[in-house]
């Protein structure tokens, strides 16, 4: 009996040793200190698709280091798998801050996961830059002075569609197809915000679950509701189904498509390019599968990076573009920090970025951050699908403006 | 070869003489650790204790009464949400939320146990599995969203250290000692339960249900009692988890949590109450080790480690 416990104790002790080995070697690092960047995302579990972004970022910083690092310093990109579980995110974030002693946290994913660490990182004063969630509540410098998102929020994107529909479709009645999770519900609250108190009469919202096999029923009931506008707030697989189904039904509603599903390779070609004609979306990033950008220098550089440093990744995937552009945004910050990577200096440099061009952003969309504006990429371009390409129309849409000052907890 | 025997005898007797010292040694290490390790390691050790308590709860059910549950993650979640919601409402001091969560899980365990335990072992495992799958979905439902926070979860503030201890220890140390104390209490309670009249009835159920019934053991009532106590202990672990992690959300309690608890139970040894600690170590550290070896193959490495530990430890498994 005792022998069993002794053996189990030895195994446990060995496990502890391995788990904490990172702290044992802290003292032996080179004197030209690396820039330590902490990151968590879901490499396993229900949302493991996001792991693609993390892998692209690992490859990106390998490339940066091979080219001599940033201001002569290598980047130590430390990333852990939280399997999308917020309690695991808390554990790994504490490990990054307390054991790995990172200089900043970068592009961690999941709205609930970020909420779980928001108080901790704020107490600790760790710069937590460009978190990867569509929630708009992180643009709140008074409450979270060192935390910020990156791209436009889902709610503001939905508001853009609703406003455009009200302005251009006479007697607009909006049908909303949304995914029944935090992603989809942010669209619902964005549309409701624009419609105001009369929302119930002008809005028919039908949800689907990611586990559903098909959304044909949802599309039929939206059509039966008499809507003449359809906002498709869906992830790629379901967006393709919705585009196809509306086309087959001959439903002539004005269709808006969520920006996460605008990829030609992943959504529009599977749905049928003819079925996709006339779709409208608002995006801030270039789609690598759209031939319109084939000759632009940032797309050529992106393709070269994917071929050379991330050959296992699909260059057409929107996730890889996000990883590439977000990592490029961080390089823009760090390269302005000189030789001082203290939290104060990182925040000061971050908050003084004005109209910075980032590779893979659509023409005119730029990154701007200030002590009162923590929405780095707050503008989008509207675009219409002409059967072959997304054609940009109109000027910049400042998507942060309308939700600023509104209650920050959109989905609640 | 000839002198191998006497020295072997001496070793056994030495070990036997040292045996009573083990609990004291473990207690001393457990009490000294918070002053020897950094705050993150202490946080991880507290998580080990929390999972050990949850596994202890499962062990009361499986080890003593011989029932299987694939759904104890649901009671873990229930305990965590009870504490988080009570604190959010400002209803009571945080220390009182722990017994409140315990009572809630005890009642829930009994109510769920009554019908579910009429099922035989494998079917019971499936019925409880359904519970584990349902709980995160129910928490997300929009009708409960104003209470549960929906997918966005609830932030729990940092639990303050009691004023008398404030000078001596920090928050992480306090939470460690709190968890250690509660865990030790629950361990003693479980040991007493196993040796009590109820415990004997439950063990009789485990060995042979028909024989137990014919001896006058009210089988379904006793099973429900075992299920309720088991749910209560696991719920207390959930409540402590909410205080230590300071956040609850549906995605923190996927059905994989229930599987992880069951794996921890088997690793520690079914029926071995101290083995729950080994199970807790496994649940917290092995996924991290697997990931540190390879991100892409983390699942496969976890499986390999699991098999390796089961084989290296085979004779301890299944012992009552």
């Amino acid at each position: 009996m005792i022998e069993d416990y002794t053996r189990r104790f030895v195994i446990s002790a060995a496990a502890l040793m391995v788990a904490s080995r990172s702290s044992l070697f802290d003292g032996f690092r080179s004197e030209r200190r690396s820039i330590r960047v902490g990151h968590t995302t879901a490499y396993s579990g229900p949302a493991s698709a996001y792991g693609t972004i993390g892998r692209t970022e690992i490859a990106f910083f390998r490339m940066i280091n091979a080219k001599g690092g940033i201001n002569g310093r290598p980047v130590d990109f430390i990333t852990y798998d939280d399997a999308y579980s917020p309690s695991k995110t808390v554990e790994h974030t504490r490990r990054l801050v307390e054991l790995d002693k990172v200089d900043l946290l970068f592009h961690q994913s999941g709205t609930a996961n970020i909420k779980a660490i928001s108080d901790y990182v704020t107490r600790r004063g760790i710069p937590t830059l460009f978190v990867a969630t569509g929630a708009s509540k992180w643009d709140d410098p008074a409450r979270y002075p060192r935390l910020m998102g990156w791209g436009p929020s889902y709610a503001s994107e939905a508001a853009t569609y609703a406003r455009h529909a009200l302005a251009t479709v006479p007697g607009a009645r909006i049908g909303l197809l949304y995914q029944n999770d935090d992603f989809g519900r942010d669209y619902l609250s964005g549309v409701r915000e624009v419609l105001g108190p009369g929302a119930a009469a002008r809005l028919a919202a039908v949800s689907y679950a990611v586990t559903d096999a098909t959304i044909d029923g949802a599309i039929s009931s939206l059509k039966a509701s008499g809507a003449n506008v359809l906002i498709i707030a869906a992830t790629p697989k379901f967006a393709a189904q919705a585009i196809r189904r509306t086309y087959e039904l001959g439903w002539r509603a004005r269709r808006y498509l969520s920006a996460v599903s605008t990829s030609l390779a992943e959504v529009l070609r599977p749905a049928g390019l003819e079925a996709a004609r006339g779709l409208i979306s608002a995006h801030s990033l270039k789609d690598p599968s759209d031939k319109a950008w084939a000759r632009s220098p940032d797309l050529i550089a992106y393709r070269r990076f994917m071929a050379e440093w991330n050959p296992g990744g699909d260059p057409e995937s929107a996730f890889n573009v996000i990883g590439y552009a977000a990592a490029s945004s961080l390089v823009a910050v760090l390269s302005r920090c000189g030789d001082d990577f203290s939290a104060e200096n990182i925040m000061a440099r971050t908050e003084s970025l004005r109209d910075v061009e980032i590779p893979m952003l659509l023409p005119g969309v730029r990154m701007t951050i200030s002590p009162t504006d923590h929405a780095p990429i707050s503008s989008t371009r509207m675009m219409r699908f002409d059967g072959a390409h997304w054609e940009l129309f109109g000027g910049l849409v400042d998507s942060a403006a309308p939700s600023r000052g509104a209650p920050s907890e959109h989905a609640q | 070869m000839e002198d191998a025997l006497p020295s072997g005898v001496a070793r056994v007797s030495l070990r036997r003489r040292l045996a009573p010292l083990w609990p004291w040694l473990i207690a001393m290490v457990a009490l000294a650790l918070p002053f020897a390790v950094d705050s993150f390691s202490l946080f991880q050790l507290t998580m080990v204790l929390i999972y050990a308590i949850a596994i202890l709860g499962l062990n009361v059910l499986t080890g003593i009464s011989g029932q299987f549950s694939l759904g104890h993650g649901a009671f873990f979640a229930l305990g965590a949400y009870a504490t988080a919601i009570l604190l959010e409402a400002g209803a009571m001091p945080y220390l009182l939320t722990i017994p409140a969560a315990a009572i809630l899980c005890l009642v829930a365990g009994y109510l769920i146990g009554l019908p579910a335990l009429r099922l035989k072992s494998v079917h019971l495992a499936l019925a409880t599995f359904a519970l584990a799958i349902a709980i995160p979905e129910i928490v997300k439902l929009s009708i409960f969203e104003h209470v549960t926070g929906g997918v966005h979860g609830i932030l729990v503030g940092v639990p303050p250290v009691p004023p008398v201890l404030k000078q001596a220890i920090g928050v992480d140390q306090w939470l460690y000692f709190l968890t250690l104390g509660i865990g030790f209490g629950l361990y003693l309670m479980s040991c007493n339960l196993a040796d009590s009249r109820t415990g004997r009835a439950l063990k009789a159920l485990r060995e042979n249900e028909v024989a137990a019934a014919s001896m006058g053991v009210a089988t379904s009532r006793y099973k429900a009692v075992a299920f309720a106590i088991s749910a209560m202990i696991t719920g207390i672990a959930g409540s402590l988890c909410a205080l230590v992690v300071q956040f609850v959300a549906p995605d923190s309690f996927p059905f994989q949590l229930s599987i992880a608890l069951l794996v921890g139970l088997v690793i520690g040894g079914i029926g071995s109450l101290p083995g729950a600690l080994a199970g807790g170590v496994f649940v917290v550290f092995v996924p991290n080790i697997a990931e540190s070896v390879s991100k892409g193959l983390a699942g496969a490495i976890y499986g390999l480690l699991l098999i390796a530990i089961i084989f290296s430890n085979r004779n301890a498994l299944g012992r009552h």
Side-chain angles (χ1 to χ4, degrees):
Chain A
M1 197 67 182
I2 293 299
E3 194 172 359
D4 292 339
Y5 290 135
T6 319
R7 190 183 289 163
R8 264 178 248 168
F9 183 75
V10 169
I11 292 171
S12 314
L16 275 169
M17 290 282 289
V18 176
S20 59
R21 80 203 182 296
S22 54
S23 64
L24 293 177
F25 296 101
D26 264 352
F28 302 102
R29 293 223 161 78
S30 62
E31 66 281 4
R32 186 68 175 172
R33 207 172 70 85
S34 56
I35 307 165
R36 299 172 74 72
V37 178
H39 175 257
T40 60
T41 193
Y43 293 99
S44 67
S48 57
Y50 291 131
T52 306
I53 301 176
R55 287 193 193 91
T56 300
E57 286 161 354
I58 294 171
F60 189 90
F61 289 112
R62 273 215 325 271
M63 174 184 77
I64 292 288
N65 289 341
K67 290 180 177 171
I70 298 175
N71 303 346
R73 293 200 194 199
V75 176
D76 201 351
F77 183 68
I78 309 168
T79 173
Y80 294 123
D81 178 17
D82 63 15
Y84 219 53
S85 158
S87 35
K88 212 64 186 160
T89 313
V90 170
E91 181 192 333
H92 285 321
T93 302
R94 288 194 61 170
R95 176 202 300 270
L96 287 164
V97 172
E98 295 170 32
L99 280 190
D100 300 332
K101 307 235 186 295
V102 294
D103 298 304
L104 74 158
L105 294 161
F106 161 71
H107 213 227
Q108 292 175 273
S109 60
T111 303
N113 309 61
I114 300 304
K115 189 173 172 185
I117 62 165
S118 57
D119 278 3
Y120 172 77
V121 295
T122 302
R123 255 195 333 271
R124 282 267 173 172
I126 292 282
T128 308
L129 303 184
F130 311 149
V131 295
T133 100
S136 48
K137 64 179 159 219
W138 310 125
D139 178 18
D140 189 353
R143 182 156 178 212
Y144 307 112
R146 291 185 176 174
L147 180 66
M148 66 184 72
W150 184 64
S153 74
Y154 296 139
S156 63
E157 187 197 330
T160 302
Y161 302 144
R163 268 195 301 274
H164 188 259
L166 291 182
T168 57
V169 179
R173 290 180 47 84
I174 297 177
L176 171 69
L177 174 74
Y178 70 101
Q179 189 163 301
N180 193 8
D181 60 10
D182 54 345
F183 157 75
R185 285 185 214 186
D186 278 358
Y187 281 87
L188 180 61
S189 59
V191 173
R192 280 209 181 121
E193 203 176 298
V194 170
L195 293 181
R202 306 187 68 175
L203 174 68
V206 176
S207 72
Y208 69 91
V210 275
T211 46
D212 288 354
T214 162
I215 49 158
D216 289 358
I219 296 289
S220 300
S221 64
L222 282 167
K223 184 174 187 237
S225 75
N228 54 6
V229 172
L230 175 65
I231 298 177
I232 304 169
T235 44
K237 180 181 130 194
F238 296 101
Q241 285 185 11
I243 294 162
R244 186 82 212 160
R245 189 65 187 161
T246 47
Y247 178 71
E248 285 169 356
L249 289 174
W251 184 14
R252 296 264 155 252
R254 164 81 63 76
R255 294 176 301 171
Y256 294 88
L257 178 64
S258 53
V260 296
S261 296
T262 50
S263 161
L264 269 85
E266 288 170 295
V267 180
L268 304 190
R269 281 192 204 117
L273 294 181
E274 201 43 48
R277 187 190 292 276
L279 283 167
I280 294 178
S281 191
H283 211 333
S284 46
L285 291 167
K286 290 176 179 168
D287 175 6
S289 52
D290 190 332
K291 294 276 183 287
W293 311 120
R295 306 179 78 81
S296 67
D298 56 346
L299 208 105
I300 292 167
Y302 163 77
R303 286 203 181 273
R304 201 183 309 130
F305 156 76
M306 287 300 289
E308 200 175 326
W309 294 95
N310 197 13
D314 173 9
E316 315 292 328
S317 157
F319 281 150
N320 287 321
V321 177
I322 291 172
Y324 184 83
S328 302
S329 306
L330 184 63
V331 171
V333 169
L334 296 178
S335 60
R336 285 166 169 79
C337 284
D339 208 33
D340 178 4
F341 293 92
S342 64
E344 291 72 23
N345 192 43
I346 290 174
M347 286 315 295
R349 297 299 141 213
T350 306
E351 288 176 337
S352 57
L353 293 175
R354 297 277 181 283
D355 281 329
V356 177
E357 294 211 32
I358 302 294
M360 300 306 284
L361 294 190
L362 285 171
V365 179
R366 297 201 169 98
M367 186 161 83
T368 294
I369 307 166
S370 77
T372 53
D373 170 11
H374 274 193
I377 298 167
S378 56
S379 48
T380 54
R381 297 288 303 271
M382 296 207 76
M383 52 195 200
R384 186 182 287 108
F385 191 70
D386 67 2
H389 304 293
W390 284 105
E391 204 157 289
L392 300 179
F393 67 91
L396 280 178
V397 183
D398 184 1
S399 53
S403 59
R404 200 58 73 64
S408 56
E409 302 250 338
H410 274 286
Q412 288 178 28
Chain B
M1 215 46 207
E2 254 173 52
D3 54 10
L5 187 64
S7 83
V9 169
R11 200 161 359 118
V12 167
S13 66
L14 181 69
R15 190 171 276 162
R16 204 162 274 162
R17 248 180 289 148
L18 284 176
L21 294 178
W22 274 102
W24 295 105
L25 194 68
I26 291 169
M28 270 163 56
V29 170
L31 290 174
L33 267 177
F35 303 101
V37 300
D38 59 276
S39 66
F40 172 72
S41 302
L42 194 57
F43 165 80
Q44 278 193 316
L45 289 172
T46 311
M47 291 308 290
V48 166
L49 290 175
I50 286 171
Y51 284 117
I53 294 172
I55 292 166
L56 179 73
L58 194 53
N59 220 335
V60 165
L61 184 73
T62 308
I64 301 179
S65 84
Q67 313 297 311
F68 273 92
S69 168
L70 280 171
H72 262 47
F75 297 109
F76 194 87
L78 193 63
Y81 266 98
T83 286
I85 290 168
L86 286 170
L87 284 177
E88 172 104 328
M92 53 178 78
Y94 72 93
L95 282 176
L96 286 183
T97 66
I98 301 171
I103 292 166
L104 179 73
C105 290
L106 185 78
V107 173
Y110 191 77
L111 293 179
I112 291 164
L114 269 184
L117 289 158
R118 292 180 183 275
L119 301 168
K120 296 276 183 239
S121 57
V122 180
H123 300 107
L124 173 67
L126 275 190
T128 52
F129 187 52
L131 190 68
I133 292 178
I135 281 284
E137 303 293 325
I138 292 170
V139 169
K140 285 182 199 172
L141 282 182
S142 47
I143 45 168
F144 299 128
E145 210 170 282
H146 60 286
V147 186
T148 63
V151 283
H152 294 262
I154 306 172
L155 268 174
V156 177
V158 181
V161 182
V164 277
L165 295 171
K166 221 168 200 160
Q167 300 297 323
I169 55 176
V171 174
D172 287 311
Q173 288 162 328
W174 160 242
L175 289 172
Y176 171 85
F177 283 123
L178 180 69
T179 308
L180 186 69
I182 290 175
F184 186 63
L186 290 171
Y187 171 69
L188 290 184
M189 192 197 86
S190 305
C191 289
N192 281 335
L193 176 75
D195 291 334
S196 70
R197 185 186 160 86
T198 308
R200 280 194 301 278
L202 293 173
K203 283 181 194 161
L205 271 177
R206 178 188 72 198
E207 297 303 333
N208 190 327
E209 200 173 326
V210 178
S214 63
M215 296 292 285
V217 175
T219 54
S220 66
R221 195 172 67 84
Y222 269 109
K223 279 194 205 167
V225 166
F227 202 76
I229 294 172
S230 162
M232 178 193 79
I233 296 174
T234 303
I236 290 172
S239 165
L240 288 166
C241 180
L243 293 175
V244 171
V245 173
Q246 288 143 26
F247 184 73
V248 296
D251 287 327
S252 290
F253 313 107
F255 72 84
Q256 285 92 337
L257 172 65
S258 298
I259 308 289
L261 294 181
L262 193 73
V263 169
L265 171 74
V266 177
I267 290 291
I270 295 168
S272 148
L273 295 181
L277 209 52
V281 169
F282 187 91
V283 170
V284 172
F285 288 113
V286 171
N288 294 352
I289 295 169
E291 192 212 337
S292 72
V293 176
S294 158
K295 283 215 158 41
L297 289 172
I301 290 160
Y302 175 89
L304 277 179
L305 285 170
L306 181 59
I307 291 169
I309 291 176
I310 285 175
F311 272 92
S312 73
N313 219 5
R314 183 164 40 176
N315 45 3
L317 300 179
R319 180 175 290 180
H320 299 307

